[in-house]
Amino acid sequence: MTYKEISKEFLDKANVTIGDTIKVTKDDISYEGILLDRSEDAKDAYIVIKLDSGYNVGVNIESAAIELIEKGDKPKIGFEGDKIEKDPNKQNISIISTGGTVSSIIDYKTGAVHPKFTAEDLLRANPELLDLANYDVKALYNILSENMQPEYWVKAAQSIADDINNGADGIVIAHGTDTMHYTSAALSFMIKTPVPIVITGAQRSSDRPSTDAFLNIYNSCGAALSDIAEVTVLMHNTLDDGDCALHKGTKVRKMHTSRRDTFRSIDSEPIALLRDGKVKSVNLPYTKRGENELELNTAIESKVALIKSFPGISSDIIDYHIDKGYKGLLIEGTGLGHVPDYMVDTLQRANDEGIPVVMTSQCLYGTINMNVYSTGRLLLDAGVISGMDMTPETAYVKLAWALGQTEDVNEVKDIIQTNVAGELNESSSLKYFLN
């Protein structure tokens, strides 16, 4: 027998099923809570219960005793077998899972968080979503977001376009938060969309009582039903379970390792705030539903490096990337866009060899202006391109995308300094910032 079957036999003998309130006693320690489902690929015979505290606990059933406290009703959430029933009076949302904490569960043997849920599991865990819309669900990837690759952005964009062509009224993407702003920028450049595309995640897994997963997913579905037809990121706006903020995909950044309100719009405001699955307020103009025809441009150059300047940085770092055949370099400089003046010659070498170099700032807020100080002027003379007020992450993605369109350095510069997807503020486009 498999461990799953052993656990099921243990529960059947006690006449308990998922949703029942039970008491489990093992080694003179008792746990009382609601019996939950568990992973199919378990390596031990155990059961999982949700405690009154909100936390879940896994108990190995060896030498354990189980007692039924109260029968629970198995939730009916609109599923018929593996098929989700659709209401013809509701709009259709496509949920695409790529993994991350919002799609994760706790391994109760190790305590680690793993991306285990599929997109359909998200609906099973959050049946309230079915009050809002019909859903088509799929798991595109099942990875933690540090493992995201540029080619995955391409596959995601193609999958989104397929769903829009098949009639989706909105798209929700479940994604890990660590690299969510890279993906939102990539999709912003790759897709011109007639419907909302909303990327969301969670700082704390669904197993924790402080999870932000449900509220983020619920309001993301609300945003996907709205009139805001852009690529956006939706996450908590505050530490408590109040409003969620809808950020433009090219102006957002993760700003804290663990806070639930970690995502912030940089040099901008959120497009809107949402609560209870509805748009509560709108702060910025936006592209409206149906205003654009669907366009897909996924050409991208993956051999682009993001290099952070620091005191003592060596020109060898630039030479290394040139010698290794990198096609573009994104520099995260200091202040208004600086690196040590002894690096000018090697950056000139990059320009001479047809490798565009784009300058951004570690300051995040504000815009690049390399005309103020002497080093900045030398960098401009060496062909370094101002990234204006883009965040380093957005500029990195845009450079990779621009190189997918052309290898000509001057054409790349024009793309970098043209507002394609709301990544540039009007105030940053003044001529003296650029030349």
Side-chain angles (χ1 to χ4, degrees):
M1 294 178 68
T2 66
Y3 287 123
K4 181 81 171 181
E5 291 169 338
I6 293 171
S7 298
K8 184 178 184 301
E9 183 180 59
F10 174 75
L11 296 174
D12 288 344
K13 286 181 179 179
N15 192 31
V16 297
T17 58
I18 295 169
D20 293 346
T21 300
I22 63 172
K23 181 178 180 180
V24 179
T25 302
K26 181 179 174 69
D27 300 330
D28 297 325
I29 300 175
S30 295
Y31 302 94
E32 186 173 321
I34 298 172
L35 179 65
L36 301 180
D37 201 356
R38 40 162 277 164
S39 65
E40 294 287 341
D41 57 351
K43 300 299 189 294
D44 290 295
Y46 72 96
I47 58 173
V48 179
I49 60 175
K50 179 173 286 296
L51 307 176
D52 289 340
S53 65
Y55 282 97
N56 299 348
V57 63
V59 181
N60 190 303
I61 64 173
E62 185 178 356
S63 303
I66 186 170
E67 176 185 352
L68 175 65
I69 303 298
E70 183 179 1
K71 293 295 291 183
D73 293 328
K74 201 165 185 177
K76 297 178 181 179
I77 57 176
F79 287 87
E80 183 179 343
D82 292 327
K83 183 179 179 182
I84 304 172
E85 297 175 357
K86 292 190 176 182
D87 183 340
N89 297 314
K90 293 178 180 177
Q91 289 181 284
N92 299 308
I93 293 176
S94 172
I95 295 183
I96 301 172
S97 175
T98 66
T101 301
V102 72
S103 304
S104 294
I105 59 172
I106 296 291
D107 181 335
Y108 294 101
K109 187 174 182 180
T110 66
V113 177
H114 296 285
K116 287 289 187 181
F117 283 144
T118 65
E120 187 168 287
D121 289 328
L122 293 177
L123 287 181
R124 293 185 184 277
N126 304 286
E128 295 88 347
L129 294 175
L130 292 165
D131 294 332
L132 296 179
N134 300 314
Y135 299 91
D136 290 302
V137 293
K138 59 184 173 184
L140 192 62
Y141 309 114
N142 204 13
I143 61 173
L144 296 172
S145 71
E146 59 266 29
N147 296 319
M148 190 60 67
Q149 300 286 336
E151 57 264 34
Y152 297 172
W153 299 333
V154 173
K155 185 175 179 181
Q158 292 169 339
S159 181
I160 290 167
D162 288 344
D163 288 351
I164 294 173
N165 283 325
N166 289 332
D169 297 301
I171 307 290
V172 173
I173 302 167
H175 196 289
T177 59
D178 284 355
T179 62
M180 186 187 293
H181 48 305
Y182 288 89
T183 297
S184 66
L187 296 179
S188 297
F189 297 127
M190 290 179 174
I191 305 173
K192 186 174 284 188
T193 178
V195 305
I197 299 173
V198 187
I199 306 173
T200 193
Q203 286 288 84
R204 301 171 190 179
S205 66
S206 301
D207 303 78
R208 298 176 63 182
S210 60
T211 182
D212 52 338
F214 169 72
L215 199 64
N216 291 342
I217 294 170
Y218 191 79
N219 281 309
S220 291
C221 289
L225 297 173
S226 77
D227 198 39
I228 303 172
E230 299 193 11
V231 176
T232 56
V233 167
L234 184 139
M235 293 288 287
H236 267 51
N237 189 48
T238 60
L239 287 176
D240 61 14
D241 289 329
D243 297 335
C244 287
L246 188 69
H247 305 276
K248 187 176 288 289
T250 54
K251 298 299 287 185
V252 66
R253 193 176 192 274
K254 185 174 182 178
M255 299 296 287
H256 193 279
T257 58
S258 57
R259 284 172 64 117
R260 301 199 295 176
D261 61 346
T262 176
F263 280 84
R264 287 285 181 262
S265 290
I266 307 299
D267 283 323
S268 181
E269 293 182 84
I271 297 175
L273 298 179
L274 283 92
R275 178 176 287 216
D276 299 327
K278 297 179 181 179
V279 174
K280 175 184 173 183
S281 61
V282 176
N283 301 315
L284 298 175
Y286 58 85
T287 304
K288 293 180 172 56
R289 179 184 288 273
E291 197 171 308
N292 287 329
E293 295 290 331
L294 177 64
E295 293 182 19
L296 191 64
N297 186 345
T298 60
I300 194 167
E301 171 57 62
S302 61
K303 205 152 188 182
V304 175
L306 196 164
I307 301 169
K308 188 183 187 81
S309 182
F310 56 89
I313 186 173
S314 172
S315 297
D316 293 346
I317 293 175
I318 305 299
D319 288 325
Y320 169 86
H321 286 90
I322 295 173
D323 295 339
K324 286 293 185 179
Y326 277 75
K327 305 299 184 182
L329 302 177
L330 192 288
I331 307 297
E332 191 175 324
T334 57
L336 291 168
H338 302 136
V339 294
D341 54 13
Y342 57 76
M343 295 186 69
V344 171
D345 287 346
T346 190
L347 293 175
Q348 178 70 63
R349 178 196 169 197
N351 185 65
D352 292 344
E353 296 192 20
I355 302 171
V357 179
V358 178
M359 179 66 70
T360 60
S361 178
Q362 299 168 23
C363 296
L364 300 183
Y365 290 91
T367 191
I368 295 299
N369 185 355
M370 291 184 285
N371 275 296
V372 175
Y373 295 100
S374 58
T375 301
R377 291 174 179 269
L378 292 172
L379 292 170
L380 287 172
D381 290 342
V384 175
I385 302 167
S386 169
M388 300 156 75
D389 72 327
M390 285 186 286
T391 64
E393 295 85 358
T394 293
Y396 160 77
V397 173
K398 188 177 184 182
L399 177 57
W401 181 77
L403 284 165
Q405 318 309 307
T406 178
E407 295 181 355
D408 184 272
V409 175
N410 290 324
E411 292 179 1
V412 169
K413 179 179 179 180
D414 288 341
I415 294 172
I416 290 296
Q417 296 182 342
T418 298
N419 190 23
V420 175
E423 69 278 13
L424 300 176
N425 289 328
E426 289 185 10
S427 60
S428 72
S429 62
L430 298 174
K431 187 174 180 180
Y432 73 90
F433 285 134
L434 307 184
N435 301 309

